[in-house]
Amino acid sequence: MLADDAQRRVRIGMVTDLHYADKPPAGSLHHRETLTKIAEAGEQFQKDKPDFVVELGDLIDAADSVEVEKKYLARINKEISALPGDKHYVLGNHCVATLTKGEFLEGVGQKKPNYSFDMGGFHFVVLDACFRGDGAPYGRDNFKWNDANIPEEQVNWLRADLKAATGKTIVFAHQRLDVKNDYGVKNAEQVRKVLEDSGKVLAVFQGHSHKNDLKDIGGIHYCTLVAMVEGSGAENNGFSLMDVFEGGTIRLAGFRKQAKYEWKT
Ligand SMILES: [Zn+2]
């Protein structure tokens, strides 16, 4: 039996890896088509009215100059801003290929790269893995894409944040916490231990590798969402709406290329 709609506590819209840029396609990445794809997601979200929308990183793709990149960001953020509900942005490596973190955050009107909030009796955490192995924050292409790390200071913040959390928790990250390959956060194992030890985390939603994937580790679902930028035409779009129910059941409605899931408690 599906969880009862009357038991629904939070509805969340999710999009990831939009890579918007006013430039021709590169391989399978159709940067300009993101505008029509986000419009389709917008129509769906206007119907289903999520409480908030999470953009899981790589909102933009590189430009030749900071000025042009700021224009790309303003253009795509006009679409994101028009979506219903609050907006939350996870930093992706491509967000800070041309810009600094400060410039990106200013462009989307968000104060911090990592933070947490509560809604409907649940706790939500936004992580920032855009740090090099030597601890330097990404910015202006000063990094290798496969050197993603969550520094000790943020790990300690996460531990304390989860300890203080009063509700079951859902985490959002761009780079993956469930793999050891190039797409994974280098200290993912350390971060997973913090999530597991809290006993509060239901699921982690990620982007970065552009393909649907799911791994269950230590009682937590690590769900990787499909990239919006991949492929040409509406049939290659991908976005999702997630319902979280009293008790912690999660139902993810996937649209177009996005896989669907339901995890019952
Ligand atoms: Zn991407």
mmCIF file with all atom_site columns, all heavy atoms in Angstrom, residues 118-142:
data_model
loop_
_atom_site.group_PDB
_atom_site.id
_atom_site.type_symbol
_atom_site.label_atom_id
_atom_site.label_alt_id
_atom_site.label_comp_id
_atom_site.label_asym_id
_atom_site.label_entity_id
_atom_site.label_seq_id
_atom_site.pdbx_PDB_ins_code
_atom_site.Cartn_x
_atom_site.Cartn_y
_atom_site.Cartn_z
_atom_site.occupancy
_atom_site.B_iso_or_equiv
_atom_site.pdbx_formal_charge
_atom_site.auth_seq_id
_atom_site.auth_comp_id
_atom_site.auth_asym_id
_atom_site.auth_atom_id
_atom_site.pdbx_PDB_model_num
ATOM 1   N N   . ASP A 1 118 ? 14.811 23.065 8.971   1.00 0.00 ? 118 ASP A N   1
ATOM 2   C CA  . ASP A 1 118 ? 13.753 22.122 9.336   1.00 0.00 ? 118 ASP A CA  1
ATOM 3   C C   . ASP A 1 118 ? 12.469 22.454 8.596   1.00 0.00 ? 118 ASP A C   1
ATOM 4   O O   . ASP A 1 118 ? 12.195 23.617 8.332   1.00 0.00 ? 118 ASP A O   1
ATOM 5   C CB  . ASP A 1 118 ? 13.466 22.198 10.846  1.00 0.00 ? 118 ASP A CB  1
ATOM 6   C CG  . ASP A 1 118 ? 14.650 21.722 11.672  1.00 0.00 ? 118 ASP A CG  1
ATOM 7   O OD1 . ASP A 1 118 ? 15.059 20.564 11.497  1.00 0.00 ? 118 ASP A OD1 1
ATOM 8   O OD2 . ASP A 1 118 ? 15.179 22.522 12.466  1.00 0.00 ? 118 ASP A OD2 1
ATOM 9   N N   . MET A 1 119 ? 11.719 21.403 8.272   1.00 0.00 ? 119 MET A N   1
ATOM 10  C CA  . MET A 1 119 ? 10.385 21.615 7.716   1.00 0.00 ? 119 MET A CA  1
ATOM 11  C C   . MET A 1 119 ? 9.536  20.362 7.930   1.00 0.00 ? 119 MET A C   1
ATOM 12  O O   . MET A 1 119 ? 10.028 19.244 7.751   1.00 0.00 ? 119 MET A O   1
ATOM 13  C CB  . MET A 1 119 ? 10.455 21.948 6.220   1.00 0.00 ? 119 MET A CB  1
ATOM 14  C CG  . MET A 1 119 ? 9.108  22.444 5.688   1.00 0.00 ? 119 MET A CG  1
ATOM 15  S SD  . MET A 1 119 ? 9.176  22.976 3.976   1.00 0.00 ? 119 MET A SD  1
ATOM 16  C CE  . MET A 1 119 ? 9.785  24.635 4.157   1.00 0.00 ? 119 MET A CE  1
ATOM 17  N N   . GLY A 1 120 ? 8.294  20.564 8.337   1.00 0.00 ? 120 GLY A N   1
ATOM 18  C CA  . GLY A 1 120 ? 7.342  19.462 8.481   1.00 0.00 ? 120 GLY A CA  1
ATOM 19  C C   . GLY A 1 120 ? 7.790  18.380 9.447   1.00 0.00 ? 120 GLY A C   1
ATOM 20  O O   . GLY A 1 120 ? 7.405  17.219 9.295   1.00 0.00 ? 120 GLY A O   1
ATOM 21  N N   . GLY A 1 121 ? 8.621  18.743 10.422  1.00 0.00 ? 121 GLY A N   1
ATOM 22  C CA  . GLY A 1 121 ? 9.096  17.754 11.394  1.00 0.00 ? 121 GLY A CA  1
ATOM 23  C C   . GLY A 1 121 ? 10.337 17.001 10.943  1.00 0.00 ? 121 GLY A C   1
ATOM 24  O O   . GLY A 1 121 ? 10.812 16.106 11.627  1.00 0.00 ? 121 GLY A O   1
ATOM 25  N N   . PHE A 1 122 ? 10.864 17.365 9.773   1.00 0.00 ? 122 PHE A N   1
ATOM 26  C CA  . PHE A 1 122 ? 12.087 16.730 9.255   1.00 0.00 ? 122 PHE A CA  1
ATOM 27  C C   . PHE A 1 122 ? 13.225 17.755 9.212   1.00 0.00 ? 122 PHE A C   1
ATOM 28  O O   . PHE A 1 122 ? 12.993 18.965 9.212   1.00 0.00 ? 122 PHE A O   1
ATOM 29  C CB  . PHE A 1 122 ? 11.848 16.144 7.859   1.00 0.00 ? 122 PHE A CB  1
ATOM 30  C CG  . PHE A 1 122 ? 10.960 14.926 7.895   1.00 0.00 ? 122 PHE A CG  1
ATOM 31  C CD1 . PHE A 1 122 ? 9.574  15.048 7.876   1.00 0.00 ? 122 PHE A CD1 1
ATOM 32  C CD2 . PHE A 1 122 ? 11.514 13.649 7.992   1.00 0.00 ? 122 PHE A CD2 1
ATOM 33  C CE1 . PHE A 1 122 ? 8.745  13.927 7.942   1.00 0.00 ? 122 PHE A CE1 1
ATOM 34  C CE2 . PHE A 1 122 ? 10.699 12.531 8.055   1.00 0.00 ? 122 PHE A CE2 1
ATOM 35  C CZ  . PHE A 1 122 ? 9.308  12.665 8.032   1.00 0.00 ? 122 PHE A CZ  1
ATOM 36  N N   . HIS A 1 123 ? 14.453 17.220 9.179   1.00 0.00 ? 123 HIS A N   1
ATOM 37  C CA  . HIS A 1 123 ? 15.653 18.052 9.152   1.00 0.00 ? 123 HIS A CA  1
ATOM 38  C C   . HIS A 1 123 ? 16.344 17.853 7.802   1.00 0.00 ? 123 HIS A C   1
ATOM 39  O O   . HIS A 1 123 ? 16.387 16.729 7.292   1.00 0.00 ? 123 HIS A O   1
ATOM 40  C CB  . HIS A 1 123 ? 16.578 17.617 10.306  1.00 0.00 ? 123 HIS A CB  1
ATOM 41  C CG  . HIS A 1 123 ? 17.753 18.517 10.516  1.00 0.00 ? 123 HIS A CG  1
ATOM 42  N ND1 . HIS A 1 123 ? 17.640 19.826 10.899  1.00 0.00 ? 123 HIS A ND1 1
ATOM 43  C CD2 . HIS A 1 123 ? 19.086 18.277 10.410  1.00 0.00 ? 123 HIS A CD2 1
ATOM 44  C CE1 . HIS A 1 123 ? 18.846 20.363 11.014  1.00 0.00 ? 123 HIS A CE1 1
ATOM 45  N NE2 . HIS A 1 123 ? 19.742 19.447 10.723  1.00 0.00 ? 123 HIS A NE2 1
ATOM 46  N N   . PHE A 1 124 ? 16.854 18.918 7.243   1.00 0.00 ? 124 PHE A N   1
ATOM 47  C CA  . PHE A 1 124 ? 17.493 18.868 5.928   1.00 0.00 ? 124 PHE A CA  1
ATOM 48  C C   . PHE A 1 124 ? 18.868 19.531 6.001   1.00 0.00 ? 124 PHE A C   1
ATOM 49  O O   . PHE A 1 124 ? 19.012 20.590 6.608   1.00 0.00 ? 124 PHE A O   1
ATOM 50  C CB  . PHE A 1 124 ? 16.615 19.583 4.892   1.00 0.00 ? 124 PHE A CB  1
ATOM 51  C CG  . PHE A 1 124 ? 15.253 18.957 4.748   1.00 0.00 ? 124 PHE A CG  1
ATOM 52  C CD1 . PHE A 1 124 ? 14.178 19.407 5.523   1.00 0.00 ? 124 PHE A CD1 1
ATOM 53  C CD2 . PHE A 1 124 ? 15.049 17.885 3.886   1.00 0.00 ? 124 PHE A CD2 1
ATOM 54  C CE1 . PHE A 1 124 ? 12.924 18.809 5.423   1.00 0.00 ? 124 PHE A CE1 1
ATOM 55  C CE2 . PHE A 1 124 ? 13.801 17.279 3.782   1.00 0.00 ? 124 PHE A CE2 1
ATOM 56  C CZ  . PHE A 1 124 ? 12.732 17.743 4.553   1.00 0.00 ? 124 PHE A CZ  1
ATOM 57  N N   . VAL A 1 125 ? 19.852 18.867 5.369   1.00 0.00 ? 125 VAL A N   1
ATOM 58  C CA  . VAL A 1 125 ? 21.236 19.357 5.422   1.00 0.00 ? 125 VAL A CA  1
ATOM 59  C C   . VAL A 1 125 ? 21.777 19.535 3.994   1.00 0.00 ? 125 VAL A C   1
ATOM 60  O O   . VAL A 1 125 ? 21.645 18.635 3.154   1.00 0.00 ? 125 VAL A O   1
ATOM 61  C CB  . VAL A 1 125 ? 22.150 18.357 6.182   1.00 0.00 ? 125 VAL A CB  1
ATOM 62  C CG1 . VAL A 1 125 ? 23.594 18.855 6.185   1.00 0.00 ? 125 VAL A CG1 1
ATOM 63  C CG2 . VAL A 1 125 ? 21.659 18.149 7.607   1.00 0.00 ? 125 VAL A CG2 1
ATOM 64  N N   . VAL A 1 126 ? 22.364 20.688 3.746   1.00 0.00 ? 126 VAL A N   1
ATOM 65  C CA  . VAL A 1 126 ? 23.032 20.968 2.470   1.00 0.00 ? 126 VAL A CA  1
ATOM 66  C C   . VAL A 1 126 ? 24.538 20.938 2.727   1.00 0.00 ? 126 VAL A C   1
ATOM 67  O O   . VAL A 1 126 ? 25.044 21.673 3.578   1.00 0.00 ? 126 VAL A O   1
ATOM 68  C CB  . VAL A 1 126 ? 22.611 22.363 1.933   1.00 0.00 ? 126 VAL A CB  1
ATOM 69  C CG1 . VAL A 1 126 ? 23.446 22.741 0.711   1.00 0.00 ? 126 VAL A CG1 1
ATOM 70  C CG2 . VAL A 1 126 ? 21.129 22.396 1.607   1.00 0.00 ? 126 VAL A CG2 1
ATOM 71  N N   . LEU A 1 127 ? 25.256 20.054 1.999   1.00 0.00 ? 127 LEU A N   1
ATOM 72  C CA  . LEU A 1 127 ? 26.702 19.944 2.173   1.00 0.00 ? 127 LEU A CA  1
ATOM 73  C C   . LEU A 1 127 ? 27.448 20.615 1.020   1.00 0.00 ? 127 LEU A C   1
ATOM 74  O O   . LEU A 1 127 ? 26.907 20.774 -0.072  1.00 0.00 ? 127 LEU A O   1
ATOM 75  C CB  . LEU A 1 127 ? 27.120 18.466 2.257   1.00 0.00 ? 127 LEU A CB  1
ATOM 76  C CG  . LEU A 1 127 ? 26.656 17.699 3.501   1.00 0.00 ? 127 LEU A CG  1
ATOM 77  C CD1 . LEU A 1 127 ? 27.106 16.244 3.408   1.00 0.00 ? 127 LEU A CD1 1
ATOM 78  C CD2 . LEU A 1 127 ? 27.176 18.348 4.791   1.00 0.00 ? 127 LEU A CD2 1
ATOM 79  N N   . ASP A 1 128 ? 28.688 20.973 1.269   1.00 0.00 ? 128 ASP A N   1
ATOM 80  C CA  . ASP A 1 128 ? 29.561 21.568 0.253   1.00 0.00 ? 128 ASP A CA  1
ATOM 81  C C   . ASP A 1 128 ? 30.868 20.775 0.190   1.00 0.00 ? 128 ASP A C   1
ATOM 82  O O   . ASP A 1 128 ? 31.705 20.871 1.081   1.00 0.00 ? 128 ASP A O   1
ATOM 83  C CB  . ASP A 1 128 ? 29.841 23.036 0.623   1.00 0.00 ? 128 ASP A CB  1
ATOM 84  C CG  . ASP A 1 128 ? 30.886 23.679 -0.289  1.00 0.00 ? 128 ASP A CG  1
ATOM 85  O OD1 . ASP A 1 128 ? 31.168 23.113 -1.365  1.00 0.00 ? 128 ASP A OD1 1
ATOM 86  O OD2 . ASP A 1 128 ? 31.406 24.747 0.094   1.00 0.00 ? 128 ASP A OD2 1
ATOM 87  N N   . ALA A 1 129 ? 31.022 19.979 -0.872  1.00 0.00 ? 129 ALA A N   1
ATOM 88  C CA  . ALA A 1 129 ? 32.244 19.175 -1.036  1.00 0.00 ? 129 ALA A CA  1
ATOM 89  C C   . ALA A 1 129 ? 33.204 19.821 -2.029  1.00 0.00 ? 129 ALA A C   1
ATOM 90  O O   . ALA A 1 129 ? 34.149 19.169 -2.503  1.00 0.00 ? 129 ALA A O   1
ATOM 91  C CB  . ALA A 1 129 ? 31.884 17.760 -1.480  1.00 0.00 ? 129 ALA A CB  1
ATOM 92  N N   . CYS A 1 130 ? 32.994 21.090 -2.353  1.00 0.00 ? 130 CYS A N   1
ATOM 93  C CA  . CYS A 1 130 ? 33.882 21.779 -3.295  1.00 0.00 ? 130 CYS A CA  1
ATOM 94  C C   . CYS A 1 130 ? 35.104 22.339 -2.583  1.00 0.00 ? 130 CYS A C   1
ATOM 95  O O   . CYS A 1 130 ? 35.288 23.567 -2.476  1.00 0.00 ? 130 CYS A O   1
ATOM 96  C CB  . CYS A 1 130 ? 33.102 22.856 -4.041  1.00 0.00 ? 130 CYS A CB  1
ATOM 97  S SG  . CYS A 1 130 ? 31.904 22.169 -5.206  1.00 0.00 ? 130 CYS A SG  1
ATOM 98  N N   . PHE A 1 131 ? 35.918 21.417 -2.086  1.00 0.00 ? 131 PHE A N   1
ATOM 99  C CA  . PHE A 1 131 ? 37.199 21.754 -1.450  1.00 0.00 ? 131 PHE A CA  1
ATOM 100 C C   . PHE A 1 131 ? 38.259 20.797 -1.969  1.00 0.00 ? 131 PHE A C   1
ATOM 101 O O   . PHE A 1 131 ? 37.993 19.598 -2.100  1.00 0.00 ? 131 PHE A O   1
ATOM 102 C CB  . PHE A 1 131 ? 37.111 21.592 0.074   1.00 0.00 ? 131 PHE A CB  1
ATOM 103 C CG  . PHE A 1 131 ? 36.257 22.627 0.756   1.00 0.00 ? 131 PHE A CG  1
ATOM 104 C CD1 . PHE A 1 131 ? 34.892 22.414 0.899   1.00 0.00 ? 131 PHE A CD1 1
ATOM 105 C CD2 . PHE A 1 131 ? 36.810 23.803 1.247   1.00 0.00 ? 131 PHE A CD2 1
ATOM 106 C CE1 . PHE A 1 131 ? 34.088 23.368 1.524   1.00 0.00 ? 131 PHE A CE1 1
ATOM 107 C CE2 . PHE A 1 131 ? 36.022 24.753 1.879   1.00 0.00 ? 131 PHE A CE2 1
ATOM 108 C CZ  . PHE A 1 131 ? 34.658 24.534 2.023   1.00 0.00 ? 131 PHE A CZ  1
ATOM 109 N N   . ARG A 1 132 ? 39.451 21.308 -2.196  1.00 0.00 ? 132 ARG A N   1
ATOM 110 C CA  . ARG A 1 132 ? 40.575 20.470 -2.619  1.00 0.00 ? 132 ARG A CA  1
ATOM 111 C C   . ARG A 1 132 ? 41.088 19.661 -1.436  1.00 0.00 ? 132 ARG A C   1
ATOM 112 O O   . ARG A 1 132 ? 40.780 19.962 -0.277  1.00 0.00 ? 132 ARG A O   1
ATOM 113 C CB  . ARG A 1 132 ? 41.724 21.346 -3.138  1.00 0.00 ? 132 ARG A CB  1
ATOM 114 C CG  . ARG A 1 132 ? 41.353 22.212 -4.311  1.00 0.00 ? 132 ARG A CG  1
ATOM 115 C CD  . ARG A 1 132 ? 42.568 22.834 -4.971  1.00 0.00 ? 132 ARG A CD  1
ATOM 116 N NE  . ARG A 1 132 ? 43.532 23.422 -4.052  1.00 0.00 ? 132 ARG A NE  1
ATOM 117 C CZ  . ARG A 1 132 ? 44.302 24.464 -4.333  1.00 0.00 ? 132 ARG A CZ  1
ATOM 118 N NH1 . ARG A 1 132 ? 44.202 25.060 -5.526  1.00 0.00 ? 132 ARG A NH1 1
ATOM 119 N NH2 . ARG A 1 132 ? 45.178 24.920 -3.478  1.00 0.00 ? 132 ARG A NH2 1
ATOM 120 N N   . GLY A 1 133 ? 41.898 18.662 -1.764  1.00 0.00 ? 133 GLY A N   1
ATOM 121 C CA  . GLY A 1 133 ? 42.498 17.823 -0.730  1.00 0.00 ? 133 GLY A CA  1
ATOM 122 C C   . GLY A 1 133 ? 43.341 18.614 0.262   1.00 0.00 ? 133 GLY A C   1
ATOM 123 O O   . GLY A 1 133 ? 43.483 18.232 1.417   1.00 0.00 ? 133 GLY A O   1
ATOM 124 N N   . ASP A 1 134 ? 43.907 19.754 -0.179  1.00 0.00 ? 134 ASP A N   1
ATOM 125 C CA  . ASP A 1 134 ? 44.713 20.579 0.729   1.00 0.00 ? 134 ASP A CA  1
ATOM 126 C C   . ASP A 1 134 ? 43.855 21.566 1.511   1.00 0.00 ? 134 ASP A C   1
ATOM 127 O O   . ASP A 1 134 ? 44.376 22.431 2.215   1.00 0.00 ? 134 ASP A O   1
ATOM 128 C CB  . ASP A 1 134 ? 45.819 21.312 -0.039  1.00 0.00 ? 134 ASP A CB  1
ATOM 129 C CG  . ASP A 1 134 ? 45.275 22.352 -1.017  1.00 0.00 ? 134 ASP A CG  1
ATOM 130 O OD1 . ASP A 1 134 ? 44.038 22.552 -1.075  1.00 0.00 ? 134 ASP A OD1 1
ATOM 131 O OD2 . ASP A 1 134 ? 46.085 22.981 -1.728  1.00 0.00 ? 134 ASP A OD2 1
ATOM 132 N N   . GLY A 1 135 ? 42.518 21.448 1.371   1.00 0.00 ? 135 GLY A N   1
ATOM 133 C CA  . GLY A 1 135 ? 41.614 22.273 2.158   1.00 0.00 ? 135 GLY A CA  1
ATOM 134 C C   . GLY A 1 135 ? 41.184 23.568 1.497   1.00 0.00 ? 135 GLY A C   1
ATOM 135 O O   . GLY A 1 135 ? 40.280 24.248 1.985   1.00 0.00 ? 135 GLY A O   1
ATOM 136 N N   . ALA A 1 136 ? 41.812 23.922 0.379   1.00 0.00 ? 136 ALA A N   1
ATOM 137 C CA  . ALA A 1 136 ? 41.447 25.178 -0.294  1.00 0.00 ? 136 ALA A CA  1
ATOM 138 C C   . ALA A 1 136 ? 40.070 25.054 -0.940  1.00 0.00 ? 136 ALA A C   1
ATOM 139 O O   . ALA A 1 136 ? 39.773 24.040 -1.569  1.00 0.00 ? 136 ALA A O   1
ATOM 140 C CB  . ALA A 1 136 ? 42.486 25.523 -1.359  1.00 0.00 ? 136 ALA A CB  1
ATOM 141 N N   . PRO A 1 137 ? 39.233 26.084 -0.794  1.00 0.00 ? 137 PRO A N   1
ATOM 142 C CA  . PRO A 1 137 ? 37.935 26.052 -1.460  1.00 0.00 ? 137 PRO A CA  1
ATOM 143 C C   . PRO A 1 137 ? 38.092 26.173 -2.971  1.00 0.00 ? 137 PRO A C   1
ATOM 144 O O   . PRO A 1 137 ? 38.974 26.884 -3.447  1.00 0.00 ? 137 PRO A O   1
ATOM 145 C CB  . PRO A 1 137 ? 37.202 27.271 -0.888  1.00 0.00 ? 137 PRO A CB  1
ATOM 146 C CG  . PRO A 1 137 ? 38.259 28.172 -0.363  1.00 0.00 ? 137 PRO A CG  1
ATOM 147 C CD  . PRO A 1 137 ? 39.433 27.312 0.006   1.00 0.00 ? 137 PRO A CD  1
ATOM 148 N N   . TYR A 1 138 ? 37.236 25.455 -3.721  1.00 0.00 ? 138 TYR A N   1
ATOM 149 C CA  . TYR A 1 138 ? 37.224 25.603 -5.177  1.00 0.00 ? 138 TYR A CA  1
ATOM 150 C C   . TYR A 1 138 ? 36.868 27.044 -5.532  1.00 0.00 ? 138 TYR A C   1
ATOM 151 O O   . TYR A 1 138 ? 36.116 27.701 -4.830  1.00 0.00 ? 138 TYR A O   1
ATOM 152 C CB  . TYR A 1 138 ? 36.123 24.738 -5.796  1.00 0.00 ? 138 TYR A CB  1
ATOM 153 C CG  . TYR A 1 138 ? 36.322 23.247 -5.856  1.00 0.00 ? 138 TYR A CG  1
ATOM 154 C CD1 . TYR A 1 138 ? 37.358 22.595 -5.206  1.00 0.00 ? 138 TYR A CD1 1
ATOM 155 C CD2 . TYR A 1 138 ? 35.415 22.475 -6.595  1.00 0.00 ? 138 TYR A CD2 1
ATOM 156 C CE1 . TYR A 1 138 ? 37.473 21.212 -5.294  1.00 0.00 ? 138 TYR A CE1 1
ATOM 157 C CE2 . TYR A 1 138 ? 35.526 21.105 -6.680  1.00 0.00 ? 138 TYR A CE2 1
ATOM 158 C CZ  . TYR A 1 138 ? 36.554 20.471 -6.033  1.00 0.00 ? 138 TYR A CZ  1
ATOM 159 O OH  . TYR A 1 138 ? 36.650 19.110 -6.117  1.00 0.00 ? 138 TYR A OH  1
ATOM 160 N N   . GLY A 1 139 ? 37.357 27.473 -6.700  1.00 0.00 ? 139 GLY A N   1
ATOM 161 C CA  . GLY A 1 139 ? 36.995 28.783 -7.234  1.00 0.00 ? 139 GLY A CA  1
ATOM 162 C C   . GLY A 1 139 ? 37.918 29.127 -8.381  1.00 0.00 ? 139 GLY A C   1
ATOM 163 O O   . GLY A 1 139 ? 39.119 28.827 -8.323  1.00 0.00 ? 139 GLY A O   1
ATOM 164 N N   . ARG A 1 140 ? 37.352 29.711 -9.468  1.00 0.00 ? 140 ARG A N   1
ATOM 165 C CA  . ARG A 1 140 ? 38.161 30.143 -10.624 1.00 0.00 ? 140 ARG A CA  1
ATOM 166 C C   . ARG A 1 140 ? 39.044 29.014 -11.155 1.00 0.00 ? 140 ARG A C   1
ATOM 167 O O   . ARG A 1 140 ? 40.211 29.229 -11.474 1.00 0.00 ? 140 ARG A O   1
ATOM 168 C CB  . ARG A 1 140 ? 39.054 31.316 -10.250 1.00 0.00 ? 140 ARG A CB  1
ATOM 169 C CG  . ARG A 1 140 ? 38.297 32.556 -9.846  1.00 0.00 ? 140 ARG A CG  1
ATOM 170 C CD  . ARG A 1 140 ? 38.499 33.707 -10.816 1.00 0.00 ? 140 ARG A CD  1
ATOM 171 N NE  . ARG A 1 140 ? 38.106 34.959 -10.203 1.00 0.00 ? 140 ARG A NE  1
ATOM 172 C CZ  . ARG A 1 140 ? 36.839 35.376 -10.063 1.00 0.00 ? 140 ARG A CZ  1
ATOM 173 N NH1 . ARG A 1 140 ? 35.839 34.616 -10.508 1.00 0.00 ? 140 ARG A NH1 1
ATOM 174 N NH2 . ARG A 1 140 ? 36.562 36.514 -9.495  1.00 0.00 ? 140 ARG A NH2 1
ATOM 175 N N   . ASP A 1 141 ? 38.467 27.816 -11.206 1.00 0.00 ? 141 ASP A N   1
ATOM 176 C CA  . ASP A 1 141 ? 39.153 26.693 -11.849 1.00 0.00 ? 141 ASP A CA  1
ATOM 177 C C   . ASP A 1 141 ? 40.492 26.352 -11.194 1.00 0.00 ? 141 ASP A C   1
ATOM 178 O O   . ASP A 1 141 ? 41.442 25.965 -11.871 1.00 0.00 ? 141 ASP A O   1
ATOM 179 C CB  . ASP A 1 141 ? 39.358 27.017 -13.344 1.00 0.00 ? 141 ASP A CB  1
ATOM 180 C CG  . ASP A 1 141 ? 39.307 25.760 -14.193 1.00 0.00 ? 141 ASP A CG  1
ATOM 181 O OD1 . ASP A 1 141 ? 38.923 24.701 -13.666 1.00 0.00 ? 141 ASP A OD1 1
ATOM 182 O OD2 . ASP A 1 141 ? 39.666 25.842 -15.381 1.00 0.00 ? 141 ASP A OD2 1
ATOM 183 N N   . ASN A 1 142 ? 40.560 26.458 -9.882  1.00 0.00 ? 142 ASN A N   1
ATOM 184 C CA  . ASN A 1 142 ? 41.809 26.182 -9.159  1.00 0.00 ? 142 ASN A CA  1
ATOM 185 C C   . ASN A 1 142 ? 41.880 24.729 -8.669  1.00 0.00 ? 142 ASN A C   1
ATOM 186 O O   . ASN A 1 142 ? 42.644 24.422 -7.769  1.00 0.00 ? 142 ASN A O   1
ATOM 187 C CB  . ASN A 1 142 ? 41.916 27.120 -7.943  1.00 0.00 ? 142 ASN A CB  1
ATOM 188 C CG  . ASN A 1 142 ? 40.831 26.833 -6.904  1.00 0.00 ? 142 ASN A CG  1
ATOM 189 O OD1 . ASN A 1 142 ? 39.855 26.148 -7.197  1.00 0.00 ? 142 ASN A OD1 1
ATOM 190 N ND2 . ASN A 1 142 ? 41.001 27.345 -5.704  1.00 0.00 ? 142 ASN A ND2 1
#
